[in-house]
């Protein structure tokens, strides 16, 4: 069996919501088994982002608390953020620093 035959195939896509920050789609997908999934929901973030995991000398991981409107509370997470226009993803010292300070 070829690799392509092992992968699901998109048969169609309905756009539910699109913005510059997040997009939500409902895909109709054919599974390798032949089963059809009518509503395979996919969230897409068009902008690139970076996250960093910081360990101290005792192997503790630095987490930050962030206000998350959607869940209505503070959440613990690793520092992360969007890569600004013109920043390169592999040498993004500015975005790492910006999100850790």
């Amino acid at each position: 069996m070829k690799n392509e035959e092992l992968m699901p195939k998109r048969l169609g896509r309905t756009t539910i919501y699109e913005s510059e920050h997040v997009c939500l789609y409902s895909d109709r997908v054919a599974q390798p088994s032949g089963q059809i999934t009518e509503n395979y929901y996919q969230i897409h973030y068009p902008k690139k982002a970076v996250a960093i995991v910081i360990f101290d000398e005792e192997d503790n991981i630095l987490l930050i608390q962030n206000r998350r409107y959607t869940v209505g509370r503070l959440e613990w997470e690793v520092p992360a953020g969007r890569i600004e226009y013109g920043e390169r993803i592999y040498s993004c010292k500015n975005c790492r620093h910006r999100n850790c300070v």
Side-chain angles (χ1 to χ4, degrees):
M1 197 177 257
K2 297 178 185 176
N3 284 343
E4 303 87 48
E5 295 171 0
L6 298 174
M7 298 301 296
K9 292 180 181 59
R10 183 187 323 153
L11 303 175
R13 170 168 278 185
T14 301
T15 301
I16 297 170
Y17 177 80
E18 276 185 324
S19 78
E20 66 178 292
H21 303 289
V22 66
C23 304
L24 176 60
Y25 305 108
S26 174
D27 291 349
R28 186 169 187 261
V29 178
Q31 303 295 337
S33 66
Q35 179 183 357
I36 303 295
T37 303
E38 293 295 335
N39 291 303
Y40 186 95
Y41 295 103
Q42 183 172 345
I43 297 174
H44 172 68
Y45 299 97
K47 296 191 177 191
K48 294 181 191 241
V50 65
I52 186 167
V53 179
I54 302 171
F55 295 88
D56 68 10
E57 58 280 344
E58 297 172 359
D59 283 340
N60 295 306
I61 297 174
L62 171 71
L63 296 175
I64 61 169
Q65 266 194 319
N66 211 341
R67 289 180 288 282
R68 293 295 177 195
Y69 170 76
T70 52
V71 293
R73 62 178 181 253
L74 291 170
E75 290 288 320
W76 288 101
E77 53 193 48
V78 297
R82 181 177 63 196
I83 297 173
E84 301 298 334
Y85 179 77
E87 287 181 314
R88 291 180 24 222
I89 191 167
Y90 297 109
S91 61
C92 192
K93 281 197 286 189
N94 289 339
C95 49
R96 290 192 303 256
H97 177 75
R98 191 173 51 243
N99 293 303
C100 292
V101 178

